[in-house]
Amino acid sequence: MTCNNIVANVPDHRRTNTPPMNRFEITRRLMAKLTQGEAVVGGIGNTHFDLWSCGHRQENFYMLGSMGLAIPIALGVALAQPHRRVVALEGDGSLLMQLGCLSTVAIRAPRNLTIIVMDNGMYQITGSQPTATSAAVDFVGVARASGLIHSDWAADEANFDVLADAALQREAPSLIALRIDGKPAVSQTVRDPAWIRDQFMRGLGTRGVNDRIPHG
Amino acid sequence: MPTTVETHAQAQPWYVIFRDVLKANDIRLITYVPDNVLRPLIEAIHDDPFFEAFGVTREEEGLGIISGAWMGGTRGALLMQTSGFATLPNVLASLNVAFQIPVLLVVSERGTLGEFNVGQAAVCRTMRPVLESLGVEHHVCTRLDELEFIVDRTIKQAVATQAPATLILSPLLTGGKAVKL
């Protein structure tokens, strides 16, 4: 199936001469920077598979369903724990389902939230069908127009390092989008939601705190 | 013996009682997609600096936010109308039920007792079957004199059992939004 008038509109970020990056490699680079107990929320599918592949830590949340909600969940954590940095890892198909959350983040403006969007232009896990970003949508353009002024495409791995370092220091929400390749995730997360949630709350120091009734 | 707000004069309107029980149970973060019937509750919540309250672009997003906040140590509730609830079954099943994340869903009931919109009437009939098939605890609030007890106990059970719960605000309580003939 071809659609020439759409192909002619391929967005600028897809015309780049630099090769696409790799999700696992980028996630590994990110995780090496997180030494202060930062929380990381991994979106559905390959995004959280590669977070898991980097080595489990209690501050990680692996979202098994609820496609599109990695950023809202991360926003909730960021609002509840304003002194902890929170990172949302999301894929292009997922973010396309929930673009409105970018405006909510912009308006709430949590100083401690960083959004990283892995854009391979396809629904990779279901057979690599193209997403709208392969033909028309520029996430950084969408994010800036939604009010997230600190939004940038990472040109390559070195540029990602610069952007991520700045985002993790900034007193405002940031979004970094990356054009990534179509390689599958390195391994798959253990699908045990109750354990994942328990681990995450232990990592955040809330297990046994918030799950008790006040006043006995 | 109830441990929360017992001192309410009988004359308090439903939305003041509701807000005060949320507060007594430390439900601090409120996300909502607005609704006419919920308007006085939303305004009462915004008027109290105890709460952090804001509108979201769709109900799924609001549920994701309060679910993340709960894991981070802040309790939350999502306010919406019946049609908004109908957008939530996948998130409720795959996030709140599967991960055992308690949240309070507050639904103002459209589609019954004088509805004028066929679409609202049709979507209303999906709500209870969805709640029952997911095994989500839910109660209908119809009377002012029962409101504090139902809201307070529902929140406490949700927290204690780590499960989402839903409170349906009936037109019998709120007056609803009725057809004008």
Side-chain angles (χ1 to χ4, degrees):
Chain A
M1 194 171 70
T2 59
C3 189
N4 289 333
N5 59 331
I6 289 181
V7 170
N9 290 333
V10 167
D12 287 345
H13 73 274
R14 293 223 166 262
R15 297 181 193 276
T16 172
N17 292 323
T18 55
M21 289 169 266
N22 176 262
R23 182 180 44 243
F24 174 71
E25 173 60 24
I26 288 297
T27 310
R28 206 179 53 76
R29 279 174 179 260
L30 170 73
M31 299 314 285
K33 300 177 188 298
L34 304 185
T35 58
Q36 309 294 316
E38 294 87 345
V40 183
V41 177
I44 194 170
N46 284 315
T47 312
H48 79 71
F49 291 165
D50 270 341
L51 173 62
W52 171 267
S53 304
C54 289
H56 173 64
R57 56 201 273 286
Q58 287 193 322
E59 298 91 343
N60 291 355
F61 185 74
Y62 313 96
M63 202 186 73
L64 301 183
S66 60
M67 183 169 174
L69 291 193
I71 295 168
I73 291 169
L75 172 59
V77 176
L79 293 174
Q81 301 211 343
H83 300 295
R84 186 188 300 273
R85 291 271 165 182
V86 182
V87 181
L89 301 176
E90 191 58 296
D92 51 323
S94 293
L95 181 52
L96 284 165
M97 293 184 101
Q98 203 69 241
L99 289 173
C101 73
L102 297 176
S103 56
T104 305
V105 171
I107 293 165
R108 303 318 300 171
R111 54 163 283 284
N112 53 334
L113 180 61
T114 299
I115 298 166
I116 295 177
V117 186
M118 306 283 193
D119 181 4
N120 56 12
M122 64 178 94
Y123 298 98
Q124 185 185 354
I125 210 161
T126 57
S128 301
Q129 301 88 348
T131 63
T133 65
S134 68
V137 178
D138 174 341
F139 277 134
V140 169
V142 172
R144 287 182 181 165
S146 301
L148 283 171
I149 55 172
H150 302 291
S151 299
D152 293 285
W153 282 103
D156 53 27
E157 287 83 355
N159 184 221
F160 171 75
D161 281 339
V162 172
L163 292 171
D165 289 343
L168 291 167
Q169 296 292 323
R170 186 172 288 130
E171 296 294 310
S174 310
L175 181 145
I176 304 168
L178 306 102
R179 200 167 59 94
I180 61 160
D181 61 32
K183 293 206 177 88
V186 171
S187 69
Q188 294 203 3
T189 310
V190 170
R191 290 183 177 82
D192 185 344
W195 175 79
I196 291 169
R197 196 264 297 156
D198 178 84
Q199 285 283 293
F200 190 52
M201 291 182 70
R202 288 177 196 278
L204 299 184
T206 54
R207 193 74 173 100
V209 176
N210 193 36
D211 47 1
R212 288 197 185 129
I213 305 168
H215 321 301
Chain B
M1 245 186 76
T3 55
T4 56
V5 279
E6 285 183 272
T7 52
H8 271 299
Q10 286 301 311
Q12 293 279 28
W14 69 269
Y15 48 87
V16 171
I17 297 173
F18 205 103
R19 178 201 61 188
D20 289 351
V21 181
L22 293 177
K23 192 173 174 179
N25 282 280
D26 202 25
I27 297 217
R28 195 177 286 272
L29 181 64
I30 310 292
T31 56
Y32 60 85
V33 177
D35 171 62
N36 254 318
V37 173
L38 290 169
R39 198 170 108 193
L41 177 60
I42 291 168
E43 288 174 357
I45 286 168
H46 274 293
D47 285 346
D48 188 331
F50 169 82
F51 296 98
E52 177 168 10
F54 55 91
V56 290
T57 60
R58 49 186 289 125
E59 291 80 1
E60 281 190 333
E61 185 200 358
L63 185 47
I65 291 168
I66 59 171
S67 297
W70 188 80
M71 293 190 284
T74 296
R75 295 180 185 177
L78 168 65
L79 318 184
M80 74 209 102
Q81 68 167 232
T82 328
S83 56
F85 175 83
T87 69
L88 293 179
N90 175 54
V91 177
L92 266 178
S94 64
L95 184 61
N96 299 93
V97 172
F99 285 86
Q100 299 172 25
I101 297 174
V103 286
L104 183 67
L105 307 180
V106 182
V107 185
S108 69
E109 190 173 26
R110 284 286 305 271
T112 188
L113 294 172
E115 181 58 59
F116 51 87
N117 181 331
V118 177
Q120 288 279 3
V123 81
C124 178
R125 290 190 282 271
T126 69
M127 180 166 59
R128 285 168 181 78
V130 166
L131 287 164
E132 280 154 22
S133 62
L134 287 171
V136 170
E137 178 88 0
H138 58 283
H139 295 281
V140 186
C141 304
T142 59
R143 293 170 55 101
L144 208 54
D145 62 345
E146 295 177 346
L147 184 62
E148 179 191 324
F149 188 91
I150 292 175
V151 179
D152 180 61
R153 293 295 179 94
T154 299
I155 294 168
K156 285 183 164 59
Q157 179 169 333
V159 172
T161 62
Q162 301 178 94
T166 299
L167 291 172
I168 299 164
L169 303 179
S170 167
L172 289 163
L173 179 77
T174 63
K177 193 176 175 187
V179 62
K180 292 184 183 70
L181 292 175

